[in-house]
Structure formats: structure tokens, C-alpha cells
Amino acid sequence: MGATAEREALERLRVLVGEWVVEAEFPGQETAAGRCVFEWEVGGRFLVQRMRAPEPAPESMAVVSVDPDSGAYTQHYFDSRGVVRLYAMTFDGTVWQLLREKEDFSPLPFRQRFTGRLGADGDSIHGAWERSNATSGEWEKDFGLTYRRSR
């Protein structure tokens, strides 16, 4: 596996690179728009996501790394509240999922997952963040998130 798995995993992420308008749909609030940029850093070994989100979401930055042996993704997340988290990430070229089920740099008062689906044209991602009590298997929608490529 090794280098081949890593190359293939990085190649799948290429469709995310660019600028996106992000619409957040929080319950009981009007849909608000923000901006997101995905770009390669450190010689194309890491995908960096920078998000300027509308209130009440924090501004954030995430770095996606690829395990060179297995091709597995990890998203390293940082935000304007000082929150630092690690998410196990999958992306098969169509479905993007982030999952946090164990404590890392921050306590784990609840589990989280994001699932988004890339549109057929590659220019939109429709998804939602969900949360679950740490002891429960029930997932509840936290908020919707739609990405629309702007360039």
C-alpha cells in the first residue's frame, strides 16, 4: 500500500480545492452565509480548510492529513473559541464524513458527526452536523451546512 494509498487519498480530495460559499441552517434562525477556502499546503501533503462562518458558528481552520500507509484521513480542527479537536474523516469522492467519538484535546460531552454529499456537478456539497449524547446511540441533527463553489 504505502505511497500508492497516500497518493490516491490525496487525489480524491482535489475536488474540494477552491472557494465556497457556505450556508448554515441553524434551527429557528434564517439561513446565513459564510465563506470557506480549501487549499493545499506544505507541498500538497495537507489540505487546509479555512472557514469564515456566520454567527453563531465560530471561525475555524482545519488541516486534513493522510496516513501514508493506510490512506486514512484525520482532520485536525481549530476554532476562534480555542477549541481543538480531531475527527476521523472519510471521503470516497462523493460522501464526506467527519466523526468524533472520543476525547482528544477537548472533553467529549457529546459525539459529533458531519455527513455531506458532493453534487453530481462537483460544485455543491449538501450536509449536516449531528450530535449524540456520549452514552446514547441516537443521532440528532445539530445544523445543516451547504457548500456552493464560488471559484
Side-chain angles (χ1 to χ4, degrees), residues 4-24:
T4 300
E6 182 182 26
R7 265 194 314 275
E8 289 172 357
L10 289 168
E11 184 59 33
R12 276 192 300 278
L13 297 176
R14 188 171 306 283
V15 69
L16 300 175
V17 173
E19 292 186 22
W20 302 77
V21 172
V22 181
E23 297 167 348

Side-chain angles (χ1 to χ4, degrees), residues 25-82:
E25 302 160 12
F26 292 97
Q29 297 183 18
E30 299 229 359
T31 300
R35 180 177 177 266
C36 177
V37 175
F38 288 93
E39 59 190 352
W40 296 111
E41 291 290 344
V42 191
R45 297 295 297 264
F46 300 94
L47 183 65
V48 175
Q49 177 185 10
R50 290 181 177 83
M51 179 87 75
R52 301 278 184 236
E55 289 292 332
E59 290 186 18
S60 64
M61 180 180 79
V63 179
V64 176
S65 63
V66 176
D67 180 283
D69 294 323
S70 67
Y73 301 108
T74 300
Q75 187 195 70
H76 306 255
Y77 172 89
F78 312 88
D79 74 28
S80 58
R81 302 169 297 181

Side-chain angles (χ1 to χ4, degrees), residues 89-108:
M89 180 177 137
T90 58
F91 183 67
D92 64 7
T94 303
V95 177
W96 174 23
Q97 188 169 65
L98 299 165
L99 182 63
R100 182 171 182 259
E101 296 188 293
K102 58 186 176 187
E103 195 168 287
D104 44 44
F105 301 102
S106 300
L108 186 73

